[in-house]
Structure formats: C-alpha cells, structure tokens
Amino acid sequence: QQQVKQSPQSLIVQKGGISIINCAYENTAFDYFPWYQQFPGKGPALLIAIRPDVSEKKEGRFTISFNKSAKQFSLHIMDSQPGDSATYFCAASYSNYQLIWGAGTKLIIKP
Amino acid sequence: DADVTQTPRNRITKTGKRIMLECSQTKGHDRMYWYRQDPGLGLRLIYYSFDVKDINKGEISDGYSVSRQAQAKFSLSLESAIPNQTALYFCATSDFTGGYNEQFFGPGTRLTVL
C-alpha cells in the first residue's frame, strides 16, 4: 500500500512533442505528490508538486494532472526539448512523512 | 557554494572494508536523509533523521549505520562493504515549511565495492 508505481521505465519523444509519465498509488492518505527531475551526475531536484485538492497544476511547459478517484497522477511536458532529457521521479507522502518514490522514467528527447 | 555537499564524490573500495560517506548542509534544515539509487529501482531510503536526537531506519537499512553529529552533518557508514552495495548514494535535506516536504539533494557519491 506504500508503493508508488511509475511508468514507463523509459520514453523517447521527438522534439516538440508531448512527454507523458504516469504514476499510481494505493494509499489514500497521501496528500502531497511531487515530481523530481534528475540530470546525469546530479541529484534530483523538485520540478513541480500538487496537493489532492486540485486536479491540475501547470508551471510553464510542465503540468501535473491528478485523478483522485483513480489514484493516479501524471506529468505532461509540452513542446518537449532536448534539454528536458533527464530521469523523472514521481513521489508521494502524507502528513509530511518521508517521500515514497516511484522507480523513475528515463526521458530522451530526440532533436 | 552548494547547499548540500557530499564527500567523497567517488570511492572504490574492497569487500570487507569500512566506509564512511559524509554529508553537510548549509540550508539550516532539521531533516536529513540517505538514499541509494540503483538503475531501475529508483531511490530507496536507507536512514532518515528528523533532528539530531531522532534517527530512523528506512526501507533498506541492513548493512548500514548513520551518525547525526550536528544539525548540519549526517554520515552514512558501511561497516563491512559488500559488492551489492555498489550504487549511487544521495544525501538530502528538508524542512517542514508550509506543509510541504521538498527535499534538496546533494550531488551524490558513486561507490564501487570490488
């Protein structure tokens, strides 16, 4: 019940396309859902996060869509650029407890 | 200067050796974490500390120990390293501000156990 399942494991998208990464969870007590971005040789860094009281949050080309009834959330990257090539992790937590992490998605944007 | 630093950045050692990885932070955060990252497995929590006197085991603590020497310092030890501990290790910090648990990561330590 503590797991966060992330898919796909890897994704190749053409420049200018839309990248979509999905995550699913079981624990309905989760109340914070962040996405982290990791470039090679670096630690992960927070990209965007959402609370379950909203269904969507947008920051620039990055959007989180949240479906509380389905217990799923996804990251959409619009107009994907080669600089977006990175590994993306979803995560979840409740009551400010520690984060439960997805397994990661390696995204490659082809020029 | 980096807010979260880790030393060493790379380490090659032999089976059975004791290894210490160090983490320092200048963010003033109370909470610190140690993770290991393996391809296809994501980030797995080894230990976490919510303040100097509070240390907790994470998902994969066996074979590891930690020490929280001060608010700013959190060390991870492998008492007797084994090859399957070869991984990328990250330290992270966080502060419960406004109800969010944003974690800030160091640059990582790549550890190879031969």
Side-chain angles (χ1 to χ4, degrees):
Chain A
Q1 214 189 16
Q2 285 292 82
Q3 284 185 329
V4 175
K5 295 182 179 179
Q6 183 172 348
S7 63
Q9 188 172 8
S10 62
L11 180 63
I12 300 174
V13 175
Q14 289 294 128
K15 178 183 174 182
I18 302 173
S19 303
I20 302 174
I21 304 170
N22 301 297
C23 284
Y25 64 96
E26 289 295 325
N27 190 341
T28 56
F30 287 146
D31 60 4
Y32 174 64
F33 302 88
W35 284 90
Y36 280 72
Q37 180 187 54
Q38 183 184 27
F39 293 108
K42 304 288 186 182
L46 181 65
L47 180 64
I48 187 172
I50 198 168
R51 293 285 214 181
D53 52 349
V54 297
S55 60
E56 185 175 281
K57 183 174 182 179
K58 185 175 181 179
E59 291 185 0
R61 296 184 294 106
F62 300 90
T63 299
I64 298 179
S65 297
F66 185 80
N67 186 330
K68 190 173 182 178
S69 60
K71 292 185 283 187
Q72 295 176 347
F73 59 109
S74 59
L75 176 69
H76 295 236
I77 306 174
M78 310 301 287
D79 187 27
S80 299
Q81 299 296 312
D84 296 330
S85 296
T87 299
Y88 293 81
F89 293 97
C90 64
S93 73
Y94 61 92
S95 300
N96 202 35
Y97 205 50
Q98 74 265 27
L99 290 171
I100 308 300
W101 296 84
T105 296
K106 184 173 183 178
L107 174 65
I108 297 172
I109 307 300
K110 283 197 162 184
Chain B
D1 288 342
D3 295 317
V4 184
T5 58
Q6 293 184 233
T7 56
R9 294 294 313 277
N10 289 282
R11 182 72 184 268
I12 299 174
T13 190
K14 294 183 178 180
T15 297
K17 294 291 188 181
R18 184 178 188 275
I19 297 295
M20 179 180 285
L21 308 183
E22 299 187 345
C23 176
S24 295
Q25 53 115 345
T26 58
K27 300 191 73 68
H29 289 168
D30 288 327
R31 300 181 175 192
M32 298 188 73
Y33 310 81
W34 275 105
Y35 290 95
R36 70 176 274 176
Q37 184 175 17
D38 300 276
L41 295 178
L43 292 161
R44 292 185 291 167
L45 184 63
I46 306 172
Y47 271 94
Y48 62 101
S49 170
F50 280 3
D51 65 44
V52 174
K53 295 182 180 180
D54 177 68
I55 297 199
N56 304 280
K57 292 182 178 181
E59 176 186 356
I60 54 163
S61 59
D62 287 349
Y64 301 94
S65 62
V66 291
S67 173
R68 184 84 183 264
Q69 300 94 327
Q71 186 205 36
K73 295 185 182 294
F74 193 36
S75 300
L76 176 71
S77 294
L78 288 67
E79 297 301 327
S80 179
I82 56 177
N84 78 359
Q85 291 177 314
T86 293
L88 190 54
Y89 290 84
F90 287 101
C91 173
T93 74
S94 72
D95 188 15
F96 181 41
T97 302
Y100 286 85
N101 188 19
E102 180 180 358
Q103 294 187 11
F104 296 84
F105 284 78
T109 295
R110 185 168 295 282
L111 176 66
T112 302
V113 183
L114 301 176

